Amino acid sequence: MPDTLTVTDNRTGKTFEIPITDETIRAVDLRQMKTAPDDFGLMPYDPAYMNTASCKSRITFIDGDLGILRYRGYPIDQLAESASYLETAYLLYHGELPTEAQSSDWIASIMRHVMVPEGMTKLMNGFRHDAHSMGMFVSSVAALGTYYPEAKDIAHPEVRRRQILRLVAKVPTLAAFAFRYRRNLPFIYPDQELSYAGNFLSMLFKKTELRYKPNPVLERALDILFILHADHEQNCSTSTMRLVGSSHTEPYSALAASAAALYGPLHGGANEAVLTMLREIGSKDRIPEFIKRVKGGEGRLMGFGHRVYKNYDPRARIIKRTAEEVFDVTGKNPLIDIAVELERIALEDEYFIKRKLYPNVDFYSGIIYEALGFTPDMFTVLFAIPRTIGWLTQWEEMLNDADQKIGRPRQIYLGYGERKFVPMADRK
Ligand code: CMC
């Protein structure tokens, strides 16, 4: 059987044979279907990219119907069980798990870059006292790029690699500065002797002790959360990274744009929105009333539903398990009881069953973050830190892909045809 699609354009009666590669047709192959020689040709219309592949990728695989997520072929639950975040970051970026020597080299080359230029503390101090942490994060990542003018030289693999190491190393530092600034606490400089997650905890929570000792259970829980958020193929923020990067912008600005895309409550901002929602519900007996309102079109059940997963998000399952381990140390976050009951009721409800709406990664993550000592303004920042390697790996893949050019969608113009300018005095 030939791998082709035969299409008859009923406007002209002409038949076309279009090649199918990787179960995909090329949108430009439709352009040959015209009604007149000067006709632009047929275009597919796909708002929100519901059925359009924007790239070929070898990084992350999702089967939304089966609830499968793999990085470079490795199932997410195996990575969460056995790998560290930096090992996972190496895997995403290099394509293979590191050997012991490669791992120590990689860790050392990242931890060497954890300090940020001192000017960044001045920038932070310029924010309003209660500035949202995500606003500070987005702006400070973009500002950080101004310290590395060489980053504009995106054609050189070595230059790109250096920025990738810097960004992965420095985003926790900027995030911790934002956290401390809102609390009117002095910034804590990084401690490169600690692990990636341990150093982050130190920069967040260190008080007057000479050296901060992270609790190993909480350190590991944070590392697992980082693994779960490291990449998720072509979502809104990753597509932003690729689109902004396609104009050859330097990676700090492109990453700031991705983080801005992540900020929205329909994407990475959902974890913050979940906490607000659980607080508003307040107690288990008020859940049925809340569900009724959602079904009536009054707001959404935040942390539920996904464009790709039409089954349980495998990350949500791991997070729910990790929450128990965290609570053994921190004490239980009472919101978990409301969340578990909310999930139970929703999963038995026809509305959610019919639409295949299941808990996503954001449903339980905020509850752990809160138990770890974070306020909701930090939740999306905690998503952005580990996603940094995902964004950068996808950016690197895009730049090395000969099929890619500057991103530029088409439109269907439905506005006025040409009109004669009307002077102001004649306007009604
Ligand atoms: N609560 C109630 N109804 C929902 C929800 C929800 N959370 N999500 C989708 N629906 C309904 C929606 O109203 C629509 O119903 P109908 O067919 O009657 O019009 C149907 O389900 C399909 O929804 P959609 O908006 O067409 O689906 P989408 O693929 O465009 O949206 C989504 C995906 C994640 C934006 C959406 O499910 C949502 O808004 N969820 C809540 C926000 C959230 O938790 N976002 C985090 C996503 S996971 C983290 C990440 O990677 O960003």
Side-chain angles (χ1 to χ4, degrees), residues 73-149:
Y74 294 101
I76 191 66
D77 51 324
Q78 292 179 24
L79 292 166
E81 181 70 36
S82 311
S84 71
Y85 170 68
L86 285 187
E87 207 179 336
T88 306
Y90 183 100
L91 168 70
L92 283 167
Y93 176 56
H94 294 90
E96 296 297 337
L97 285 166
T99 62
E100 208 169 334
Q102 287 166 333
S103 175
S104 356
D105 218 45
W106 172 247
I107 294 171
S109 50
I110 286 174
M111 296 311 283
R112 180 180 311 137
H113 287 292
V114 284
M115 197 68 100
V116 295
E118 189 57 20
M120 295 307 294
T121 61
K122 297 205 186 90
L123 180 96
M124 285 286 171
N125 278 307
F127 282 106
R128 216 179 102 133
H129 67 97
D130 58 352
H132 194 283
S133 300
M134 203 49 194
M136 289 194 266
F137 183 81
V138 168
S139 331
S140 60
V141 169
L144 185 65
T146 64
Y147 286 89
Y148 308 107

Side-chain angles (χ1 to χ4, degrees), residues 48 50 229 232 235-237 261-262 264-271 273-274 277 290-291 294-295 297-310 313 315 351-352 354-363 383 387:
M50 298 291 286
H229 287 90
H232 213 232
N235 50 69
C236 178
S237 57
L262 186 74
L266 297 187
H267 192 7
N271 49 18
V274 169
M277 173 189 78
F290 172 77
I291 294 276
V294 168
K295 284 160 59 177
E298 268 185 66
R300 292 198 156 186
L301 172 45
M302 299 311 284
F304 255 66
H306 201 275
R307 171 64 58 78
V308 181
Y309 291 120
K310 300 300 168 199
D313 180 338
R315 302 169 299 174
Y351 175 94
F352 295 90
K354 207 171 108 204
R355 291 169 180 77
K356 298 190 176 161
L357 301 170
Y358 291 87
N360 59 49
V361 70
D362 293 319
F363 193 67
F383 192 148
R387 183 58 58 86

Side-chain angles (χ1 to χ4, degrees), residues 253-265:
S253 300
L255 200 120
S258 313
L262 186 74
Y263 193 2

